[in-house]
Amino acid sequence: MSLVSCGSAADPHGRELIAHGTALFPVACYRDDLYLEGVPCPWHWHDELEAVVVAQGEVQVSAAGEVFTVSAGEGFFIGTRVLHNIWDHSGQGFRLRSVVFHPRLVGGSADSLFWQEYLLPLLSPQAPAYVRLDGAVPWKQEALASIESAWSSAEREPPGFAFQIRAALSELVFQLVSHLPVEPRLPSEKALRDEERIKNMMRFIQAHYTQELTIAHIAASVSVSESECLRCFHATIGTTPIQYLRQLRVQKAAELLTESDLKIGDIGERCGFREMSYFTKTFRELKGCTPSAYRERKRTGR
């Protein structure tokens, strides 16, 4: 398998659309410089487990309504179906080495010892949504080394690399399960309700981002007040509904600028920007350059 750059397209529910690996070998390893462009990936979740090492720089990670900072040489683990996002913390850019894998790569079938003893605890609703791996204790150092080993095997592809990747991820799972909290903290009913509302509101925004949208529209999609909509966004993903909408529109515009020959004005209109001046202003704020400069940079590689 080869390493790939990580993009993050999501369906209307926020579920990531990228296929991580194949049915025969359900794992993908990414070298990720995506966020050097200044816009975080869309909020998303996936059925797979994700393990990340920060190779350069410093990032902020938001998962399960909490935000934490991870520096170079440290990492983190994200559980299945956990809504999360990552962005540049220092403003200097960063690089990630991430491994996204389906639980069955390590656990096999649901009736196996591996699945019952080691995967189910990670997939349980009571399992931690994320685990910070700062290397401060020996087992976390071993977990980081396992992630690096899996990623390195994918990069080099030596003979038997598939066995090496699976072995490294099996060791990672063992370390995580062996050190899960005896009494894991359960999310409150309120937190669970907020996350479900966020996913539904994200679904609505994803389906209607090309149209005129207001906070009232977004709040009505889940039958809450505008103030409750604002509170839910702030508490769960740390931003406003309109800021999320702007980021989504710019992301979609950037994809069209890269992949199509449509006129820039047409792209702006397709992505929900009714005025060219506002499109250019918003795009520059989030991407650091105009739409035309972005297209030129992508096509020339400069």
Side-chain angles (χ1 to χ4, degrees), residues 105-117:
L105 176 71
V106 173
S109 64
D111 59 353
S112 73
L113 170 68
F114 303 105
W115 187 276
Q116 295 292 326
E117 294 292 326

Side-chain angles (χ1 to χ4, degrees), residues 18-40:
I18 295 172
H20 302 290
T22 66
L24 293 177
F25 194 49
V27 58
C29 298
Y30 300 99
R31 63 160 57 88
D32 197 351
D33 298 333
L34 176 65
Y35 312 103
L36 293 174
E37 294 181 355
V39 179

